[in-house]
Amino acid sequence: MATFRKRKNRWQVQIRRMGCAPKSRTFTSKADAIAWANAEEHSIEVGDFRERNSTRRTLLDLLDRYEADVIPLKRTDSGECFMIRELRNSQMANKQLDHLKAQDFAHLRDHLLKRSRPATVVRKLSVLRHALRVADSEWGWCAPVAEMRKVRFPSVSIEAIDRLDQPDLDALLAAASQQRSPMVGIAVRLALGTAIRRGELLALRWEDI
C-alpha cells in the first residue's frame, strides 16, 4: 500500500508489499505522486513487478532451477538434463540475465553449430528458450525472452531414413555385445523390436516386461 508524506513542498511516496522490495520516489506535485503510485501498484497486481535482487540472477541460476523444478515434472526429459549441463559450460553462463543480449544467444548458437548438427542445436536452443519463458512468466525473473526471440534458429533439412539392412543390423548387434554391460545388447534388441522411445526404455522395470 502506498503512503504519502509532504516534505519541504515535495511529496514522497513509499510502496510496501509483502514479498516485494520497497520502492519510493519524490515528486513536486501530489497528483504526479498519486499517478506513479497507482501505476506501480497496478504493475505489482498484474505480475509485471520484478524484485531488485532478481536482476542479479545469472543464466546459471536459471539453468539450475529449471533442471531442479521443471524437468522432473515432464514425462521424459528427452536428454534435457544433458543439454542443460552443456549450457552450463558456455561462456555466458555466469552473465546476469538482464545483461544478456541477442548477440550472446547468437554467439552460443554459432558455438554449438561447430560441435553439433543443426537439429541438435535447435533442440538445445529450444530448451533454453523454454527455460527463459518459464522464468519470466512463472518465477517473476527478469529473463531476456525478447532478446532470445531475435535470434535465428538453424534451418533443419528433413532427410530420408532408410530401413536397417541385415549387414548393418549384424554390425550393430555385434558392437552392442562387445560393451561392458550385457544390458546394452538387450536394450538394442528391445528398441529395434518395439520402436520404444529412449525415455521409456530407460524407465522400464522387469515387472513391465
Side-chain angles (χ1 to χ4, degrees):
M1 183 175 179
T3 58
F4 301 87
R5 295 179 182 178
K6 189 175 183 181
R7 304 181 63 181
K8 297 181 180 180
N9 298 324
R10 292 175 64 83
W11 289 91
Q12 184 184 60
V13 192
Q14 287 188 336
I15 299 177
R16 296 182 181 275
R17 280 287 187 96
M18 184 177 295
C20 300
K23 303 188 73 176
S24 64
R25 281 190 63 178
T26 303
F27 298 87
T28 302
S29 69
K30 186 175 183 180
D32 290 339
I34 294 174
W36 177 81
N38 290 338
E40 290 298 313
E41 290 187 322
H42 179 264
S43 296
I44 296 174
E45 290 292 338
V46 300
D48 288 340
F49 180 77
R50 298 290 188 268
E51 296 183 27
R52 292 174 184 174
N53 289 338
S54 69
T55 60
R56 300 174 187 170
R57 296 189 176 104
T58 65
L59 179 61
L60 186 60
D61 296 328
L62 183 146
L63 295 173
D64 287 343
R65 180 168 176 180
Y66 186 80
E67 183 179 17
D69 295 354
V70 179
I71 293 181
L73 300 179
K74 297 186 177 184
R75 190 171 183 179
T76 173
D77 66 15
S78 299
E80 289 190 15
C81 287
F82 294 101
M83 299 180 194
I84 291 294
R85 290 163 194 165
E86 183 175 1
L87 294 172
R88 281 199 188 100
N89 295 325
S90 66
Q91 294 181 350
M92 56 191 285
N94 291 314
K95 270 196 170 185
Q96 291 181 196
L97 290 173
D98 59 332
H99 291 173
L100 290 174
K101 301 299 180 185
Q103 292 87 341
D104 296 305
F105 296 115
H107 178 75
L108 173 64
R109 175 202 62 203
D110 296 340
H111 174 72
L112 293 175
L113 282 172
K114 295 177 181 178
R115 306 172 56 183
S116 305
R117 287 185 168 187
T120 304
V121 174
V122 168
R123 290 182 60 206
K124 293 174 181 178
L125 293 179
S126 296
V127 170
L128 178 56
R129 179 174 59 187
H130 185 248
L132 292 172
R133 287 175 176 172
V134 171
D136 179 74
S137 61
E138 298 184 17
W139 305 342
W141 290 18
C142 295
V145 177
E147 294 295 321
M148 184 71 176
R149 288 199 200 102
K150 300 176 183 178
V151 179
R152 291 179 295 104
F153 278 28
S155 58
V156 179
S157 58
I158 302 177
E159 301 178 357
I161 300 177
D162 297 329
R163 289 184 61 86
L164 198 65
D165 57 23
Q166 193 60 45
D168 288 337
L169 176 59
D170 294 339
L172 177 61
L173 294 177
S177 65
Q178 295 174 5
Q179 303 304 309
R180 286 188 297 177
S181 172
M183 297 301 296
V184 175
I186 297 175
V188 169
R189 290 179 179 275
L190 185 59
L192 290 171
T194 63
I196 192 172
R197 295 181 178 179
R198 178 177 55 187
E200 296 169 334
L201 178 61
L202 295 176
L204 278 179
R205 298 293 181 266
W206 282 116
E207 53 268 26
D208 300 324
I209 304 298

